[in-house]
Amino acid sequence: MTIYLQNISSDSRAHWQQQANQYLIQGNYTQAENLYEQAIAAEPEVKSNYWYLGLMLLLQGQEMEAQTTWLVGMADGEAEQVDEWTAQLLGVLQTEADRRESLSDYSLAWALRQHIREIDPADINNLLRAIELSIELETFTPDQLTSTGLIEMLEVEPGMLATDTVLVMRVLQRVLNCVSAHPSAWKLAETCIAHVREPQTYINIIIETCVELGYILKLTRLAINYIELGLRLAPNQPELVRHMACFYQNLGEFDEGIKTAKLFYSLQQDLPAKVYATHLILRGLMSAGGYWAEALSTLDCLHSLLELLIAEYPTSLSSSTVCDLFVTSFFSPYFQDDPKTNRKIGNQLAQLCQSNVQNYAKEEIERYRQRQLVRKSLGISGKPLKIGYLSHCLRRHSVGWLARWLFQHHDRDKFQIHAYFIGYKEEEHFLQNWYVNHVDKPYRCGIVSTNIAEQIDRDEIDILIDLDSITLDVNCEVMAMKPAPIQVTWLGWDAVGLPAIDYFIADPYVVPESAQDDYSEKIWRLPHTYIAVEGFEVGVPTLRRDILNIPSNAVVYLSSQTGYKRHPDTARLQVKILKQVPNSYFLIKGGADQKSIQKFFNQLAEEEGLEGDRLRFLPGVSSEEVHRANLGIADVVLDTYPYNGATTTLETLWMCIPLVTRVGQQFAARNSYTMMMNAGVTEGIAWTDEEYVEWGIRLGKDAALRQQISWKLRQSRQTSPLWNAQHFTREMEKAYEQMWEIYLLS
């Protein structure tokens, strides 16, 4: 339709303007262009027609023509008029940019905002919207924060610019979600402090960012830098202080980590928060090592608080609070070999947490349950069982090194293997990609429990295996939602104690025959061993006796464990062994604060009358392969108690080195026992402190016995269940099939 615009009346003007707008909405820019050209011919003094005509040309990709049209419209104006007309033109472009954004036409909206920037480069809100659009279009780079002048503009005194503070916070969050590790992103976050109107909004953005950086990307120092920004705005804000304490501890800055954890405790009011804060203090003390007296009193305080909490039994706690509580019974087995007490606390706490999960996630849980009932009614129908493995540790981690043989040998005709990589991030090390390539369906998950549980439910997993236990709160929350009909704990730690978990994988040795009374899960015992591997990669050693100033004919003892495991009673036994074996030296290695560990052992040596120069404190090494190669310097490895080694024990046995271990009653105190039994070696297994010392002395003095044990370990590689991962996999698969049969019959 063509409308000839001559002597335009108000009614006809309204009509053609409505028609032009309709053409714009329909994308018929040529027709709209014709209307505006006629309007200009009829009423050249109406400047808005130039603005809209230029817009129609711009939308057709005729940028030069559009700019010329706008200049023609302004050519006869005085300065004040030009300013007024420019504001009108900007309004036209802004309105169209807003409309395009509402239609998700981000590319055209971004182009319009670039033209607005050319006309009015001081419009900070338009620039913020342009940055946001580039993020949406995935064309954003952190350099734009400086090249566009955004940070410089935000540094202007607040109030001098008409800044949309809500938009500032929204753009900040989106930028940090994309490129938080870039220096320009941190600078933007710092600059935005002056534009904060709702402090909690900014703090929430900072917390989300530091969680991503510190816990997933492992950029811990940068995470602390972000927290410091939040603390500028809100000194002693509890959540910021809490994460700061964790990050200092993760960096090995234990004094700061302990001090900050104590500050976090002082900021808490309610009981659940005090429980977690006490756990955080204990975590710092245990990580440092050597602070056992204070750690013990802190543990007593924690147990008292847990007893109060369990007695109160609150059932309306938030998800974040429940996740904090899941891990607070973690340290008990490091202090005492008392499974009845330790498991009772852990079981009661896990049940309390599950009650709360069932409250705040009841709709999801019921949905999962109903779907499982439908699938159960159909049976397996000859299809492969779907096995899901849930873990944060299918990477360069002890669990990652040990679990891979099961994944390698799974029968893919009978089992479909899914892996849920919690907190997944790309790693250069080969092991994580190895897992990705050795499962049927890998899922690179974040750390949101509900999202992970929903994926497991959608995948219709038959049996879900948790590899991390209470070493990670996310796993516990996922398992508490029971997204799979059968749920199992294996490998990573002792059982969780959640009623939603059906089985705990063990063997004839790793928990006593009477252990079932202490577990809420059913203990499923495999015939020989609960773990088997086919060996370890070994690198080139970096340790030599002469470098350590140790005589070539000396007896070398080694202990390689984290600070968590260095219980003072066992450490004292180790010093006693050394004192009774002439020309012996003790190599001490493992993650902890070196100064506190040295002080700890030197004090024990002084109390026992042992020369301090017979102790050697070793730094960390570049890789696990080098660590294993360096084990060859040792004549005897001394295990820890009441928390044994696990991966370290397997590595020691694989390297054919005699080991002395003290067996207890709890799972953590029997790992080395089951591994030695399955390797066919009983020499070095002690059931009392006295036997531990006796074996340590005997193995130190009897070179022939050491050689005999080393030979037995070497021979065991051909015969032992511990090194027969293929047979172990068949036993695990048989257990899965039996679990499924029991489920279908229940």
Side-chain angles (χ1 to χ4, degrees):
M1 178 179 71
T2 301
I3 301 177
Y4 294 95
L5 303 174
Q6 296 178 348
N7 302 318
I8 303 174
S9 66
S10 59
D11 288 344
S12 61
R13 181 182 295 111
H15 174 67
W16 75 257
Q17 286 176 340
Q18 182 180 15
Q19 184 65 62
N21 187 61
Q22 190 65 33
Y23 285 145
L24 171 62
I25 292 172
Q26 294 171 353
N28 196 342
Y29 307 131
T30 302
Q31 292 282 34
E33 175 189 343
N34 290 336
L35 287 179
Y36 284 117
E37 286 177 342
Q38 294 177 50
I40 290 171
E43 295 182 318
E45 72 280 1
V46 179
K47 299 298 181 179
S48 62
N49 294 329
Y50 292 92
W51 320 148
Y52 282 104
L53 175 59
L55 174 62
M56 298 309 125
L57 293 168
L58 183 64
L59 294 175
Q60 295 176 76
Q62 302 175 46
E63 295 187 20
M64 292 294 296
E65 291 83 349
Q67 292 174 355
T68 300
T69 300
W70 294 330
L71 289 173
V72 169
M74 296 186 186
D76 59 349
E78 300 293 334
E80 291 184 1
Q81 288 177 306
V82 170
D83 289 344
E84 179 184 348
W85 294 339
T86 299
Q88 292 174 4
L89 171 59
L90 288 170
V92 169
L93 295 175
Q94 179 72 53
T95 298
E96 182 60 14
D98 290 345
R99 188 177 77 85
R100 294 294 174 171
E101 287 181 33
S102 69
L103 296 172
S104 300
D105 188 353
Y106 301 125
S107 181
L108 190 49
W110 181 86
L112 287 164
R113 296 209 175 277
Q114 298 312 304
H115 283 283
I116 295 172
R117 280 191 63 209
E118 291 178 11
I119 298 169
D120 184 10
D123 185 347
I124 189 170
N125 293 325
N126 177 71
L127 177 54
L128 287 164
R129 298 284 285 275
I131 293 288
E132 192 172 29
L133 286 166
S134 67
I135 293 173
E136 200 70 52
L137 292 166
E138 299 182 357
T139 60
F140 173 76
T141 63
D143 293 338
Q144 293 177 21
L145 301 175
T146 51
S147 64
T148 61
L150 175 62
I151 290 177
E152 186 177 353
M153 292 171 71
L154 287 168
E155 287 176 334
V156 173
E157 184 71 25
M160 293 183 65
L161 293 173
T163 310
D164 182 343
T165 57
V166 174
L167 177 60
V168 170
M169 291 300 107
R170 190 172 75 222
V171 171
L172 173 63
Q173 182 165 29
R174 298 200 66 179
V175 167
L176 294 182
N177 286 343
C178 294
V179 292
S180 58
H182 195 278
S184 294
W186 182 89
K187 183 62 178 175
L188 176 66
E190 181 188 40
T191 306
C192 286
I193 292 175
H195 298 271
V196 171
R197 296 295 177 269
E198 295 290 339
Q200 192 58 49
T201 300
Y202 182 83
I203 290 167
N204 290 343
I205 293 171
I206 292 298
I207 290 173
E208 180 181 332
T209 301
C210 80
V211 166
E212 172 79 12
L213 288 170
Y215 300 123
I216 297 178
L217 299 179
K218 307 299 183 186
L219 298 172
T220 312
R221 182 64 64 190
L222 183 56
I224 288 176
N225 292 343
Y226 274 101
I227 290 178
E228 288 172 343
L229 294 180
L231 292 175
R232 289 190 204 176
L233 192 64
N236 293 340
Q237 200 279 342
E239 279 300 290
L240 293 173
V241 174
R242 167 251 184 93
H243 291 299
M244 183 77 92
C246 288
F247 294 147
Y248 276 135
Q249 293 176 17
N250 292 349
L251 280 175
E253 297 178 12
F254 298 113
D255 288 344
E256 282 298 318
I258 294 167
K259 182 176 73 174
T260 310
K262 290 178 178 178
L263 172 60
F264 176 60
Y265 179 87
S266 72
L267 299 171
Q268 305 310 312
Q269 299 297 324
D270 66 328
L271 182 56
K274 285 182 177 292
V275 167
Y276 180 76
T278 306
H279 163 80
L280 193 54
I281 296 170
L282 185 59
R283 180 180 187 262
L285 295 168
M286 294 292 287
S287 298
Y291 290 92
W292 279 90
E294 185 178 357
L296 184 58
S297 64
T298 305
L299 180 71
D300 290 340
C301 178
L302 176 60
H303 282 175
S304 297
L305 292 171
L306 282 171
E307 288 174 1
L308 290 173
L309 181 67
I310 292 166
E312 285 188 7
Y313 212 84
T315 56
S316 57
L317 300 175
S318 67
S319 172
S320 60
T321 300
V322 169
C323 285
D324 284 346
L325 291 175
F326 267 124
V327 301
T328 55
S329 65
F330 175 80
F331 287 109
S332 296
Y334 292 92
F335 286 86
Q336 57 187 12
D337 178 26
D338 184 356
K340 291 199 175 297
T341 299
N342 295 341
R343 292 237 39 94
K344 180 180 179 182
I345 293 173
N347 291 345
Q348 290 177 336
L349 181 62
Q351 291 165 16
L352 167 64
C353 290
Q354 179 163 313
S355 296
N356 281 273
V357 175
Q358 289 174 333
N359 186 28
Y360 62 69
K362 57 186 176 183
E363 292 182 5
E364 292 92 337
I365 293 171
E366 179 59 23
R367 185 168 67 250
Y368 302 155
R369 190 181 72 86
Q370 291 297 330
R371 290 176 181 173
Q372 290 163 16
L373 288 173
V374 171
R375 297 204 302 271
K376 182 179 181 180
S377 67
L378 300 175
I380 60 174
S381 303
K383 67 178 178 64
L385 278 178
K386 290 184 178 181
I387 309 297
Y389 290 96
L390 176 71
S391 181
H392 175 58
C393 303
L394 298 177
R395 53 184 174 83
R396 188 180 177 183
H397 183 279
S398 289
V399 167
W401 286 113
L402 302 186
R404 55 185 169 150
W405 305 106
L406 176 62
F407 285 69
Q408 177 168 311
H409 292 300
H410 260 311
D411 184 340
R412 300 311 171 89
D413 293 329
K414 293 183 177 180
F415 301 91
Q416 185 181 102
I417 307 304
H418 298 235
Y420 301 89
F421 297 81
I422 295 178
Y424 181 92
K425 74 178 183 71
E426 293 293 339
E427 291 188 354
E428 293 182 2
H429 194 266
F430 81 93
L431 197 50
Q432 180 173 261
N433 284 335
W434 185 94
Y435 276 103
V436 170
N437 294 325
H438 278 76
V439 298
D440 297 299
K441 294 190 177 180
Y443 295 94
R444 299 164 177 83
C445 305
I447 56 174
V448 180
S449 304
T450 49
N451 294 347
I452 299 169
E454 187 67 30
Q455 182 65 56
I456 292 167
D457 174 65
R458 283 200 300 269
D459 292 340
E460 298 186 351
I461 295 299
D462 297 314
I463 303 176
L464 180 63
I465 315 298
D466 170 30
L467 300 177
D468 300 348
S469 187
I470 65 168
T471 62
L472 193 69
D473 51 13
V474 176
N475 296 57
C476 296
E477 191 174 27
V478 170
M479 300 297 278
M481 295 180 194
K482 204 166 177 70
I486 301 173
Q487 301 196 148
V488 181
T489 295
W490 173 63
L491 186 60
W493 207 73
D494 202 349
V496 178
L498 279 170
I501 298 178
D502 303 283
Y503 300 105
F504 172 55
I505 300 291
D507 62 34
Y509 309 105
V510 78
V511 290
E513 292 183 5
S514 60
Q516 185 61 70
D517 293 342
D518 301 325
Y519 285 82
S520 63
E521 304 90 342
K522 179 177 177 56
I523 297 174
W524 192 289
R525 296 182 190 266
L526 300 180
H528 302 289
T529 176
Y530 81 96
I531 179 62
V533 301
E534 292 182 356
F536 296 95
E537 294 83 352
V538 180
V540 177
T542 58
L543 289 182
R544 289 172 53 93
R545 295 191 177 203
D546 55 354
I547 294 174
L548 296 172
N549 195 25
I550 295 175
S552 60
N553 62 344
V555 175
V556 175
Y557 293 94
L558 170 69
S559 175
S560 179
Q561 297 294 348
T562 65
Y564 293 178
K565 297 184 179 182
R566 298 203 181 280
H567 193 285
D569 292 347
T570 305
R572 188 177 296 278
L573 298 180
Q574 293 168 345
V575 172
K576 287 179 181 291
I577 291 169
L578 206 67
K579 184 180 178 181
Q580 296 299 316
V581 180
N583 195 27
S584 63
Y585 292 80
F586 191 21
L587 308 186
I588 300 161
K589 176 180 177 290
D593 179 64
Q594 285 296 304
K595 289 183 179 179
S596 66
I597 284 293
Q598 289 181 25
K599 180 181 177 182
F600 172 70
F601 273 101
N602 284 329
Q603 183 176 338
L604 286 175
E606 183 179 350
E607 291 172 0
E608 294 298 324
L610 178 73
E611 303 91 338
D613 63 358
R614 291 168 66 183
L615 305 178
R616 298 288 187 273
F617 299 93
L618 304 180
V621 294
S622 60
S623 69
E624 291 86 347
E625 292 87 347
V626 173
H627 158 73
R628 295 168 196 140
N630 284 342
L631 292 175
I633 198 173
D635 295 300
V636 182
V637 170
L638 299 178
D639 197 12
T640 48
Y641 171 86
Y643 206 113
N644 294 170
T647 305
T648 52
T649 295
L650 282 169
E651 290 169 331
T652 298
L653 299 177
W654 180 254
M655 295 300 294
C656 303
I657 300 169
L659 176 78
V660 180
T661 189
R662 164 78 159 86
V663 188
Q665 294 301 304
Q666 63 186 2
F667 172 83
R670 298 171 70 92
N671 266 298
S672 296
Y673 169 55
T674 186
M675 292 168 186
M676 291 177 72
M677 292 296 290
N678 276 289
V681 174
T682 57
E683 297 88 348
I685 295 175
W687 292 88
T688 65
D689 290 350
E690 293 75 18
E691 287 185 14
Y692 183 88
V693 174
E694 289 169 4
W695 271 118
I697 296 171
R698 182 179 174 189
L699 288 173
K701 291 183 175 181
D702 193 338
L705 178 58
R706 295 199 303 268
Q707 187 174 11
Q708 177 187 342
I709 294 169
S710 181
W711 176 251
K712 288 175 70 173
L713 287 171
R714 187 169 299 279
Q715 291 296 105
S716 77
R717 293 183 180 185
Q718 307 301 319
T719 59
S720 165
L722 194 63
W723 315 122
N724 191 341
Q726 188 167 2
H727 181 73
F728 166 75
T729 302
R730 299 288 85 79
E731 295 294 349
M732 283 285 279
E733 291 175 340
K734 183 178 179 181
Y736 292 163
E737 291 172 333
Q738 291 174 345
M739 291 173 188
W740 186 249
E741 291 174 3
I742 292 170
Y743 169 71
L744 291 179
L745 293 172
S746 63

